[in-house]
Amino acid sequence: MSDGGLFRAEHASIICRSSDDSTTMQHFSLGGIGNRMRMENMDCYEWNKKQKSWEIPEDYNKHSVRPQSRKMYGMAHDVDNNIVYVMGGEGYNRVKKYVTYNDLWRFDLISKKWTKCPLEFPFGVYAHTMNIIKNTLYVYGGCRQSGGVMTEQQSSPYMHQIHLADFSITNMNQQMTKGDFVPSGRQGHTSIAYNGQLWIFGGNDSNQLIKFDPILAKFELIQSYGDVPHGRNHHSATQLDHYMYILGGDVRNHVSACSLVHQFDFDTHTWRTIIMQKTLPKLRNFSLTAYSSSTFNDYLVVFGGYKVPENDVVSNRLEIEFNKAENHFKHQLLTNKMVSHDLLIEFS
């Protein structure tokens, strides 16, 4: 089954090396919301490079156990084991009631099989981030489920705590942190795991760059230099080598900034704005992934999202090639056209 024009937003996508051929890259899209999203179970599509279309993997429909469909969930990729973890998010349950989830699921990228984990978050959460560092799952920020009872210390629906768990236990615990700096609660941010630390950018229109050290249990507000991006939320981030890339999002009063690619150097704490040959589409709630090819060039892959400011769901898949030898982004490859579609949700 294929869908060349797969409309998707508030989803996640993963690029991994094929188990059959280590030189071949596979691109998967999971869940989210689309032009005709069926609201029962999480769907999965794989990009067919030759056909330039999205296809449901052949093995996917062999397994009936899947998480319920959702958007704005947290996703963490265990690269070494070809495993993806999905937790939380929002969606309609099987009785068509809109809910916020707190469950954790494991997806095997080789067998295409879902397994429900015994771990659960203390409450429903969405628009958070998840990362894996040394077999420990870290969850940061996000929005609590609406209507929940909050204590005086939880007067904001936005979380600022770190929650963590290793995969051998059945509950997640709040990380007790040290130091004077405590970030404000946020949602719609991004976090990258690099050298055993979390690097958190944006959220709630902020342009703060925050580092969390799991060993010291300490947050640090990073002073950065160069072309620091505008504050934003619902953008996307990815990492290649010693660089983090930021693109898109809701950038209040700076709509043109949505189309800019920003590169952060972890070694020098310096930002630079990447000059592109063509203007990129203005997007939010899309997925951004990256990979290095056998030609030693790097690629950023943009998929789906909402157009800014129209808020239409789109089906674009865009590859941006970075020529390492010349140290600049050489060109962009549109692998299928930018198409907009009014949002249409179906029940079945």
Side-chain angles (χ1 to χ4, degrees), residues 110-131:
I110 297 175
S111 68
K112 314 299 185 296
K113 181 179 180 181
W114 287 99
T115 305
K116 192 176 188 302
C117 300
L119 278 169
E120 287 190 344
F121 204 67
F123 40 79
V125 63
Y126 65 95
H128 52 293
T129 56
M130 299 201 317
N131 301 90

Side-chain angles (χ1 to χ4, degrees), residues 3-22:
D3 188 345
L6 179 66
F7 296 83
R8 197 63 82 218
E10 300 181 275
H11 60 291
S13 66
I14 309 98
I15 287 184
C16 62
R17 296 197 179 276
S18 169
S19 58
D20 299 325
D21 180 3
S22 62

Side-chain angles (χ1 to χ4, degrees), residues 149-196:
V149 177
M150 293 183 288
T151 67
E152 184 178 347
Q153 291 76 23
Q154 297 173 333
S155 57
S156 169
Y158 306 133
M159 297 193 301
H160 67 270
Q161 303 96 337
I162 289 276
H163 287 78
L164 59 86
D166 64 42
F167 295 111
S168 63
I169 61 178
T170 58
N171 63 312
M172 295 186 183
N173 298 312
Q174 181 177 326
Q175 170 76 67
M176 302 305 295
T177 57
K178 305 173 184 177
D180 297 330
F181 175 66
V182 179
S184 59
R186 64 195 62 216
Q187 57 85 32
H189 55 284
T190 52
S191 63
I192 297 291
Y194 177 75
N195 275 359

Side-chain angles (χ1 to χ4, degrees), residues 130-133 138-140 162 191-194 196-200 210-214:
M130 299 201 317
N131 301 90
I132 297 173
I133 299 176
Y138 291 84
V139 180
Y140 176 71
I162 289 276
S191 63
I192 297 291
Y194 177 75
Q197 298 169 322
L198 290 182
W199 295 75
I200 301 157
I210 299 165
K211 181 175 72 172
F212 177 74
D213 189 317

